[in-house]
Amino acid sequence: TSTGFLVGDHYQREARREKEDAAAELDLANRLKISMLAIGVDHKDSILTLREPSTCQPEYARFVAEKSNLQAIWQEFQSSQGAISEEIDEIDGEAEIIEELTENYEVFISDLQKLEMLFRQKNIQRLSEGDRQNLQSELIRFHNQVLLGDSSRFSKQLDLFTEQAVIETKQAQEDLIVAENLRLRIIVASLALSVAIATVLAFLISRAITVPIQSTVDVAQQVIETGNFELQASITSKDEIGVLTNSLNQLITKVNLLLQEQKEKTESLKSALHEIQSTQAVLVQSEKMSSLGQMVAGVAHEMNNPVNFIHGNLFHLQEHLQDLIH
């Protein structure tokens, strides 16, 4: 968008510079025309009032001042070569018009200088009536034969330059309108392109973010649903998502290790319980055997006493039986 604004502003600035250049040329041409008209009026007034020194002297002073003004305006015109900016191309034929205008100006200003010299060579205050009349006739003849034709040619050439300046001003105005429309189209196109680029970048960035996150989420859900802690999420980048995926993998690994340790402890506890149960069974059996031994010992003792009594009296019983049989 910034590029579009810069390009559009560039074309608009160029068009405005062309318009300003054309307006400045037209202004110079108009000022030259006005100065020429003023010089003509002052010059004629100086000639007509030549017989009245009190009136002629101020008219002559105005003529000299206006001539200096014309030279100053021409100096400004010449310094720009008929163009305010050297980077702006002029329309076709303008260079030739400026060249001829320069030649006519030099002839015209030379005539004015000669006219001024005629005034300076004569001391009007001290001239007699006849000398002032002769000077007036000489000035009128110089004006009619020389100055009038030269000023007319310069004026015509100045009119041509003015027409060219008017044409250039209109063309510059049209170019400015075209440049402003072009600037608007460039800005709109750049904005549209910026929106398209932003949309593409947003889509790509969202995919770059959501795809790894979705993959990590899928792995986490599979671990939760299946209880398979051997699963690991793939790490596709080294950014924050990659760090998150790596942290999830480390968490799954630690949970798997804890489950294995818990399983081992459970197996160990089962084995210990089995051993305890076996030992308990042995102890119970031993206790049973001990009780049985005590019972058997008591029974044997209870049986031994009468058996011993019987066994001790069997010999006597046998003797008595033998004696009875005998």
Side-chain angles (χ1 to χ4, degrees):
T1 302
S2 299
T3 303
F5 273 102
L6 290 175
V7 174
D9 290 341
H10 170 73
Y11 284 110
Q12 190 179 38
R13 284 196 302 270
E14 290 297 323
R16 285 179 177 174
R17 289 174 62 186
E18 290 180 1
K19 182 180 179 181
E20 292 172 359
D21 172 74
E25 290 182 0
L26 185 59
D27 178 66
L28 284 172
N30 290 329
R31 287 166 60 191
L32 286 172
K33 279 185 174 183
I34 294 172
S35 181
M36 276 192 64
L37 292 174
I39 287 175
V41 172
D42 294 337
H43 164 60
K44 290 178 181 178
D45 290 343
S46 299
I47 296 175
L48 294 175
T49 59
L50 188 59
R51 294 183 181 182
E52 300 177 5
S54 60
T55 307
C56 178
Q57 195 65 31
E59 295 294 339
Y60 171 72
R62 281 196 292 271
F63 164 73
V64 174
E66 197 59 46
K67 181 175 109 17
S68 299
N69 182 42
L70 176 64
Q71 290 176 322
I73 296 174
W74 181 259
Q75 184 65 32
E76 182 181 351
F77 174 80
Q78 195 175 28
S79 63
S80 64
Q81 294 294 328
I84 300 304
S85 176
E86 296 179 355
E87 298 177 359
I88 297 176
D89 296 332
E90 304 297 339
I91 61 179
D92 296 337
E94 185 172 352
E96 291 77 7
I97 294 176
I98 293 175
E99 184 178 356
E100 294 181 8
L101 183 64
T102 303
E103 294 176 357
N104 293 326
Y105 167 79
E106 292 175 355
V107 174
F108 176 67
I109 203 67
S110 177
D111 293 340
L112 294 180
Q113 290 173 352
K114 290 178 182 179
L115 186 61
E116 185 180 359
M117 288 298 296
L118 289 175
F119 274 100
R120 288 183 178 179
Q121 288 174 0
K122 307 291 184 180
N123 191 346
I124 300 174
Q125 300 291 340
R126 298 180 181 180
L127 291 178
S128 62
E129 182 67 26
D131 291 336
R132 282 198 295 270
Q133 186 176 359
N134 292 333
L135 178 59
Q136 186 179 31
S137 299
E138 185 180 357
L139 291 174
I140 291 173
R141 183 172 58 255
F142 179 78
H143 175 270
N144 293 332
Q145 295 178 0
V146 179
L147 184 61
L148 191 60
D150 293 339
S151 64
S152 177
R153 284 188 290 272
F154 179 63
S155 179
K156 288 180 181 179
Q157 202 65 28
L158 188 58
D159 289 338
L160 290 176
F161 178 76
T162 304
E163 291 176 1
Q164 291 288 90
V166 171
I167 294 173
E168 187 176 350
T169 302
K170 292 181 180 179
Q171 182 177 349
Q173 180 65 29
E174 294 175 358
D175 292 342
L176 179 59
I177 296 174
V178 172
E180 289 177 348
N181 293 332
L182 178 61
R183 175 179 179 271
L184 180 61
R185 289 197 296 270
I186 290 175
I187 291 175
V188 171
S190 64
L191 288 173
L193 181 61
S194 299
V195 171
I197 293 175
T199 303
V200 173
L201 289 177
F203 175 74
L204 294 177
I205 291 174
S206 64
R207 281 184 58 84
I209 294 175
T210 57
V211 171
I213 290 179
Q214 187 61 44
S215 177
T216 303
V217 170
D218 292 340
V219 172
Q221 289 179 347
Q222 289 180 8
V223 170
I224 294 173
E225 292 174 358
T226 62
N228 184 8
F229 291 91
E230 299 294 334
L231 296 176
Q232 292 287 304
S234 60
I235 301 176
T236 58
S237 61
K238 295 182 179 180
D239 54 7
E240 291 81 359
I241 298 175
V243 173
L244 176 63
T245 305
N246 186 36
S247 300
L248 177 63
N249 291 336
Q250 292 179 358
L251 177 63
I252 294 174
T253 302
K254 287 185 178 180
V255 171
N256 189 26
L257 292 175
L258 290 174
L259 289 176
Q260 290 180 356
E261 291 178 0
Q262 184 179 6
K263 185 176 180 181
E264 291 177 356
K265 289 181 180 180
T266 302
E267 293 294 334
S268 176
L269 289 174
K270 287 182 178 180
S271 177
L273 180 60
H274 181 70
E275 291 180 359
I276 291 173
Q277 289 176 349
S278 299
T279 303
Q280 185 180 9
V282 171
L283 290 175
V284 170
Q285 186 66 24
S286 298
E287 184 68 22
K288 288 181 179 180
M289 293 302 294
S290 176
S291 299
L292 181 62
Q294 291 178 0
M295 184 184 67
V296 171
V299 171
H301 178 72
E302 292 297 330
M303 292 179 66
N304 279 335
N305 288 329
V307 169
N308 287 329
F309 179 80
I310 294 172
H311 182 269
N313 288 289
L314 283 176
F315 179 73
H316 298 287
L317 177 61
Q318 184 177 6
E319 286 182 352
H320 289 301
L321 289 175
Q322 288 293 334
D323 288 338
L324 289 175
I325 295 171
H326 182 67

